[in-house]
Amino acid sequence: MSLPLSQPRFDASQYLAWEEGQADKHEYIDGEVFAMAGASEAHVTIAGNLYMALRNHLRGGPCSVFIADMKLQVAEDNAFFYPDVFVTCAPADRAQSHCKSAPTLVIEVLSPSTSAFDRGAKFAAYRKLASLREYAVIDSERQGVDLFRRDSESGHWVLYPFEAGDELHCASVGLRLPMASLYEDVRFEA
């Protein structure tokens, strides 16, 4: 995540109105606006591969998959994020065209500059979404995925790590995807 823009604090409705007119994307956390930086080729390829796999898997059903440009609201934290990929199956989300608030699955592709935030404060915010069943962070520098799944009995989040040669299993949407497919055409920087 980048540094906050030097602007007066916005409330959520001011942010949404302002963001509509911006050429670049900005995330919003309790009055502060953060400019989104561009992504590496590996980052974009991984997100695209996952979006395509989820889109093909979910086609014709009640769930929708979104990539990069759809806002996700975490009302409890007064925040709006742009996850790399997410799935929502909520009827209320289908009625909203510019922002969703009830994801089942959220995925962030890690960049060196955002890794700590995606694993820490952003995941802490996402955990407050009652609808969220799984959160995955995908490494863009090597084959590796940490998938956190909410245990249905205890409500605790359990880590399921996946490495090269494994099959990623997103139980919340019934998707099984070989890691080789997730990382197809990805060129890691030396």
Side-chain angles (χ1 to χ4, degrees), residues 12-150:
S13 61
Q14 290 170 323
Y15 158 74
L16 291 170
W18 176 82
E19 179 72 355
E20 264 187 50
Q22 301 305 304
D24 298 319
K25 296 184 299 188
H26 304 83
E27 291 188 333
Y28 172 88
I29 303 171
D30 198 25
E32 290 188 84
V33 176
F34 299 85
M36 301 291 294
S40 70
E41 179 181 325
H43 184 255
V44 172
T45 303
I46 293 164
N49 288 346
L50 186 56
Y51 172 82
M52 288 184 354
L54 283 164
R55 177 73 180 107
N56 287 333
H57 177 69
L58 297 171
R59 180 173 275 123
C63 300
S64 299
V65 61
F66 297 95
I67 188 168
D69 287 334
M70 179 58 71
K71 284 186 284 302
L72 178 61
Q73 180 181 21
V74 181
E76 191 169 330
D77 273 9
N78 190 27
F80 293 86
F81 299 108
Y82 285 97
D84 288 311
V85 179
F86 73 95
V87 174
T88 178
C89 305
D93 274 349
R94 280 196 286 283
Q96 303 297 322
S97 64
H98 287 84
C99 184
K100 309 299 178 184
S101 60
T104 298
L105 169 66
V106 174
I107 299 113
E108 296 285 2
V109 180
L110 300 176
S111 298
S113 63
T114 64
S115 180
F117 181 71
D118 289 345
R119 289 179 177 279
K122 191 178 270 191
F123 183 31
Y126 288 153
R127 287 193 306 260
K128 294 175 184 170
L129 296 165
S131 64
L132 188 63
R133 297 292 167 251
E134 291 179 309
Y135 176 63
V137 289
I138 301 175
D139 200 317
S140 65
E141 299 181 304
R142 64 170 191 82
Q143 286 196 25
V145 176
D146 284 343
L147 183 134
F148 298 89
R149 185 174 298 142
R150 189 187 314 248

Side-chain angles (χ1 to χ4, degrees), residues 133-137 144-152 156-163 166-171 179:
R133 297 292 167 251
E134 291 179 309
Y135 176 63
V137 289
V145 176
D146 284 343
L147 183 134
F148 298 89
R149 185 174 298 142
R150 189 187 314 248
D151 180 75
S152 60
H156 294 134
W157 289 88
V158 179
L159 169 64
Y160 295 85
F162 298 90
E163 300 292 331
D166 290 342
E167 183 177 69
L168 174 63
H169 178 213
C170 297
M179 291 288 281

